[in-house]
Amino acid sequence: MPQLMTVSGSTLVLAGPAPYEGARSGGTQDARASREPRREAREAYGKPREKSVRTVPYRRLFAVPGARAFTLGNLIARLPMGMFSVSAVIMIAGSRGSYALAGAVTATGLAATALVAPWTARLVDRHGQARVAVPATAIAVLGSLALLLCVRLDAPDWTLFAAYAATATTPNTGGMSRARWAHVHRGDPAALHTANSFEQAVDELCYTLGPVAAAFLCTALFPEAGTLAGAVLLMTGVLIFSAQRATEPPVAPRTTARSPLRSPGLAPLLAVFLATGAVFGSMEVVTLAYASGLGHGPSGGAVLALQAAGSGAAGLVYGSVRPARSVSRRLLVCVGAMTALMCLPLLAATTGSLAVLAGALLLAGAATAPTMVTGMTLVQRLTPEGRLNEGMTLAVTAILGGIAAGSATGGWLTDHTSGPAAYLAPVCAAGLALVACAAGPARRR
């Protein structure tokens, strides 16, 4: 589904949530239960300066009661992130014989997601994850099944656009997971840093396995298999995730908090996410075209997977170290490193060797996850209380817009320049992210 295309979204907040009493039935009892995971989380982490905490941060992270259960459900729900778009393209292009139509349908879904996702996130903040995520996911799954039937029954082309647009209600499952970590680890920046890093590594894993699984299902079984399997996984995962009520953040039914877009410093940060998304989108298109130009088109996906693998590994390592105190300055360092490393694929492409390019992409991915982790941590701090999911979804929407712009730019450069020169697109996009970061978030203490 469209949202599942992204690199997606995340987050944590250090501001205290709205009072829990009365937010749901049984307010006092639920409030006591909601505080329990936080208390046990602090006990599990112990003193922040202890050596054992630094050596086993992820083991401590999952010592929180209920953490493994909601993580399992969220992982199942997020696995289709990399499946739906690939499945839709294979299914539509195979049936209608037009990649242009397939691309237009998926682009329409992306545009619909950019419009609908912030509203869905606002409802999650206002009414709770379980009450909103389950029906929103059900609507999205019905949209996927409708698309499958329209393709199968050879319905008019306009029905494909309408069906895929319905999948825009897919909730930001990555953001909801990070909101839970923020809830159970309030006041513990080290634990939140580790949780954010883990979530980013999960995103990279989904983007690595999703397209491979989709391509295998659609080719080995039948063209609609990828879409069908993704819909089942998404619905199952969201049901498991939503059933874990003990770790669910409290709701703010009548919050008076201002829109996240009006929060000082958030708009410039969204510009950083927009440019970072352009890095992802342009790198994907340019690399696939470069591999095809060398006569190794089928290997393009595997080469791109190395970048995701490098990013995921770097994210796990980054989460195991104690972060610097200034998040904004840390973000500037990460974006600067990303800009420098994006020069490696440009240099590797001049060799004409796909193996050299693969190694360069593996290294280039090392700064991607730390950039996303730090950026999402800053989103958490800047987003007003009671609007956390909305703030995270705005960041995801900015990345989606960047991916679309980067893909278009990378495609144009591929058609009008030589193969290596097209890698200037991700380099320039990373440079824009660095300028936006230096002019905005890095100036905040």
Side-chain angles (χ1 to χ4, degrees), residues 14-414:
L14 298 182
Y20 195 81
E21 290 79 356
R24 289 195 291 260
S25 59
T28 303
Q29 181 178 357
D30 286 347
R32 188 181 303 113
S34 72
R35 290 193 295 267
E36 192 62 27
R38 295 200 296 272
R39 183 183 304 114
E40 298 189 26
R42 288 193 293 268
E43 293 173 357
Y45 260 83
K47 298 180 180 180
R49 296 180 181 270
E50 289 181 359
K51 182 177 180 181
S52 60
V53 171
R54 295 196 298 270
T55 56
V56 288
Y58 292 102
R59 185 186 306 172
R60 302 288 185 180
L61 190 68
F62 289 102
V64 179
R68 295 184 181 182
F70 84 72
T71 299
L72 174 62
N74 199 268
L75 178 60
I76 295 173
R78 285 157 75 180
L79 182 59
M81 280 196 306
M83 295 179 61
F84 283 111
S85 296
V86 174
S87 299
V89 169
I90 294 175
M91 180 174 62
I92 295 173
S95 173
R96 305 299 170 96
S98 173
Y99 280 96
L101 175 62
V105 170
T106 55
T108 299
L110 177 63
T113 297
L115 293 175
V116 175
W119 293 96
T120 303
R122 183 176 298 180
L123 290 174
V124 169
D125 286 327
R126 183 170 299 177
H127 301 289
Q129 293 183 354
R131 291 183 62 186
V132 175
V134 173
T137 301
I139 294 173
V141 167
L142 289 175
S144 288
L145 296 179
L147 175 67
L148 186 154
L149 291 175
C150 289
V151 172
R152 191 74 174 180
L153 300 176
D154 199 25
D157 290 348
W158 68 265
T159 62
L160 307 183
F161 291 90
Y164 205 61
T167 65
T169 61
T170 304
N172 182 3
T173 51
M176 291 192 298
S177 181
R178 289 170 172 86
R180 292 202 178 209
W181 289 122
H183 172 56
V184 300
H185 290 304
R186 277 181 56 219
D188 191 342
L192 296 180
H193 172 72
T194 300
N196 253 353
S197 300
F198 170 78
E199 292 294 329
Q200 185 60 35
V202 170
D203 282 344
E204 301 295 350
L205 176 65
C206 293
Y207 281 114
T208 301
L209 298 181
V212 177
F216 172 78
L217 290 171
C218 291
T219 55
L221 298 180
F222 49 93
E224 299 85 1
T227 299
L228 182 60
V232 172
L233 287 173
L234 176 62
M235 193 74 250
T236 302
V238 169
L239 287 174
I240 295 174
F241 176 81
S242 300
Q244 314 308 314
R245 302 301 292 269
T247 53
E248 182 178 353
V251 298
R254 292 181 176 84
T255 179
T256 58
R258 61 184 180 276
S259 169
L261 284 174
R262 298 176 61 186
S263 300
L266 188 59
L269 181 58
L270 293 180
V272 177
F273 281 115
L274 181 69
T276 302
V279 173
F280 302 148
S282 59
M283 183 66 77
E284 179 177 351
V285 172
V286 171
T287 299
L288 292 175
Y290 182 80
S292 179
L294 293 178
H296 301 291
S299 301
V303 172
L304 282 173
L306 287 176
Q307 183 186 9
S311 179
L316 291 175
V317 173
Y318 187 63
S320 65
V321 300
R322 184 173 297 279
R325 288 183 177 273
S326 175
V327 181
S328 56
R329 296 300 175 85
R330 194 195 326 157
L331 178 62
L332 181 63
V333 172
C334 291
V335 176
M338 181 178 69
T339 303
L341 290 176
M342 284 301 150
C343 295
L344 294 180
L346 174 62
L347 297 175
T350 61
T351 66
S353 170
L354 192 62
V356 174
L357 177 64
L361 287 173
L362 180 65
L363 294 175
T368 302
T371 298
M372 294 295 297
V373 169
T374 308
M376 288 299 179
T377 300
L378 195 53
V379 169
Q380 295 169 341
R381 297 193 177 189
L382 296 177
T383 301
E385 180 181 341
R387 307 294 283 269
L388 179 56
N389 282 286
E390 185 179 352
M392 291 186 293
T393 302
L394 287 172
V396 172
T397 302
I399 295 173
L400 280 171
I403 290 175
S407 297
T409 304
W412 188 90
L413 286 174
T414 297

